[in-house]
Amino acid sequence: MNLRSLFTLTICGALMALPVQAKDLFKDVDLDGLKGPHLVTNTTINVRQTPDNSGTKVGQLDKRDRVEVLGLVKGTQWYAVRKDGKDLGFVYAPSLTPMIDASLSAPLTGKISLSENDKPDCSYEINFAGRAEEDEIVFISADYLVEFKCQQGFDVFTFNAMMFMSEVPVDLGNKPIYQITLNLPEIATGYEEFLSATALYNVTRKEVAMDSVSLETLQAKDFKKKKPAKNVKQALHNALELQLNAFSKKAWKIIAGKLPNPGDKSPQ
């Protein structure tokens, strides 16, 4: 046998010994459902060659690893996943949670009219302040600083607030529902008891809905309402509108400085 033939046989043997590439595993597989970036929520999970527990292991993913989901294999609870541009295999769906990118490349500005409810009209500017990631739990959020300028009648006032949108679902499950919270820490009744309002952004339903106001005494009646939200920017704007409207008239008087902060106490 000449060297050329020996070399050819050696290469062919090596190629035959290589494991089947994951990119071939997705051929003829019927995929549907949620696609896009997902985060691993379990400590360690297996990637398999076929979408079932008996499938050959072709790799592993660690907690907080990020992958691209190509879809759910119909009739199963298994995702086809890709990482760093390479097709990996199949992962059990409950081990992953869908992610969104809630960052802003530029300030988001807008106007919110509440005058028909005898509340102020406000303009705002939302500035992206970075991301926060918890060490002990799997939680990632986009943080913002919000500047408001409001007018009610002849009165004009300004105030600042903090805001965040979670980039993973609130329950770390498969449903793409994300928390949007507006915090006004200066309006407080006690230590860590400040005015805030939380809305939930449902990507599947393309809507944002009011969920809660932290201080019931400053909560408006019939505040649980919904608005459409086709993307992150619209979700932020409409969440703000719902949240500001969820504050009672008394809350607005405190924000405007017409009533004392409920946390202020007269000296004894």
Side-chain angles (χ1 to χ4, degrees):
M1 181 182 295
N2 59 38
L3 290 177
R4 181 181 180 86
S5 298
L6 180 62
F7 177 77
T8 301
L9 286 175
T10 302
I11 292 298
C12 289
L15 289 175
M16 291 176 64
L18 288 175
V20 177
Q21 294 301 304
K23 64 181 180 181
D24 297 328
L25 304 180
F26 302 154
K27 186 179 180 181
D28 300 326
V29 176
D30 198 0
L31 301 174
D32 65 0
L34 196 66
K35 299 177 175 64
H38 281 60
L39 188 72
V40 177
T41 56
N42 289 357
T43 302
T44 302
I45 60 173
N46 294 316
V47 182
R48 297 187 181 273
Q49 189 172 335
T50 55
D52 56 74
N53 282 324
S54 60
T56 302
K57 295 179 184 178
V58 293
Q60 284 189 327
L61 294 169
D62 295 323
K63 188 175 183 178
R64 298 180 187 277
D65 277 351
R66 304 183 188 198
V67 295
E68 187 77 13
V69 165
L70 304 181
L72 188 72
V73 181
K74 281 190 176 181
T76 76
Q77 286 294 303
W78 291 80
Y79 282 136
V81 301
R82 174 183 293 158
K83 191 175 190 298
D84 299 327
K86 298 179 180 179
D87 295 344
L88 297 183
F90 301 92
V91 169
Y92 187 50
S95 302
L96 303 178
T97 195
M99 298 185 69
I100 59 170
D101 180 357
S103 63
L104 297 174
S105 58
L108 180 63
T109 60
K111 295 182 179 180
I112 296 172
S113 177
L114 307 176
S115 55
E116 64 179 13
N117 297 319
D118 198 23
K119 297 174 185 179
D121 294 334
C122 298
S123 60
Y124 66 82
E125 180 175 293
I126 303 176
N127 287 279
F128 178 61
R131 284 189 171 86
E133 187 167 348
E134 296 289 341
D135 292 329
E136 296 183 2
I137 61 174
V138 180
F139 186 82
I140 303 171
S141 66
D143 295 345
Y144 317 95
L145 297 176
V146 193
E147 299 177 358
F148 292 96
K149 183 177 181 180
C150 302
Q151 182 171 356
Q152 188 168 16
F154 295 104
D155 295 326
V156 178
F157 59 95
T158 62
F159 67 99
N160 298 327
M162 295 182 290
M163 191 176 190
F164 74 84
M165 178 187 288
S166 67
E167 294 189 319
V168 291
V170 290
D171 64 353
L172 294 180
N174 294 123
K175 294 182 179 179
I177 301 175
Y178 304 89
Q179 177 180 345
I180 304 175
T181 295
L182 179 70
N183 292 321
L184 281 69
E186 294 184 0
I187 312 300
T189 58
Y191 179 68
E192 292 190 349
E193 295 178 353
F194 54 83
L195 182 60
S196 68
T198 295
L200 298 176
Y201 171 37
N202 190 316
V203 172
T204 302
R205 295 182 180 177
K206 296 183 179 180
E207 69 178 21
V208 61
M210 265 302 299
D211 181 64
S212 63
V213 175
S214 60
L215 304 178
E216 289 188 15
T217 57
L218 301 181
Q219 171 186 293
K221 295 180 180 180
D222 188 29
F223 71 95
K224 289 201 172 183
K225 298 180 180 180
K226 301 177 181 180
K227 291 186 73 68
K230 295 180 181 179
N231 52 49
V232 166
K233 289 183 178 179
Q234 189 176 27
L236 286 170
H237 173 82
N238 286 343
L240 265 187
E241 183 173 339
L242 292 172
Q243 289 162 336
L244 295 185
N245 208 25
F247 296 150
S248 66
K249 295 177 184 179
K250 179 182 178 181
W252 277 109
K253 288 181 180 180
I254 296 171
I255 295 171
K258 291 183 171 296
L259 287 176
N261 191 319
D264 293 342
K265 296 181 180 179
S266 301
Q268 301 296 319

